[in-house]
Amino acid sequence: MPHRTTKDKGKITNSEYQILNNCSRNTASNDLTELVNKDLLKPSGQKGAGAFYTLKRAAKQT
């Protein structure tokens, strides 16, 4: 079964990010924090094993 991406699932964990990007836990944390700061991801509010990030939806163009 292929690994589903954040776009498909709407969320991602630090562990999933590490696998997808072949990076360390610290790099994944830094990258995910940067994406939160750029208002692209929203943190779940949980810390540790249950933490995940969700995609923020772009405002609809009229």
Side-chain angles (χ1 to χ4, degrees), residues 35-36 39-45 52-56:
L35 292 170
V36 168
D39 212 28
L40 297 172
L41 292 179
K42 179 182 177 186
S44 65
F52 62 91
Y53 299 83
T54 55
L55 284 174
K56 285 197 166 184

Side-chain angles (χ1 to χ4, degrees), residues 11-38:
K11 67 179 184 177
I12 191 167
T13 66
N14 186 299
S15 295
E16 290 169 333
Y17 188 92
Q18 290 173 54
I19 292 166
L20 289 171
N21 294 287
N22 192 30
C23 64
S24 71
R25 182 175 57 185
N26 287 341
T27 298
S29 294
N30 292 338
D31 290 355
L32 291 165
T33 297
E34 184 177 340
L35 292 170
V36 168
N37 291 339
K38 289 182 177 183

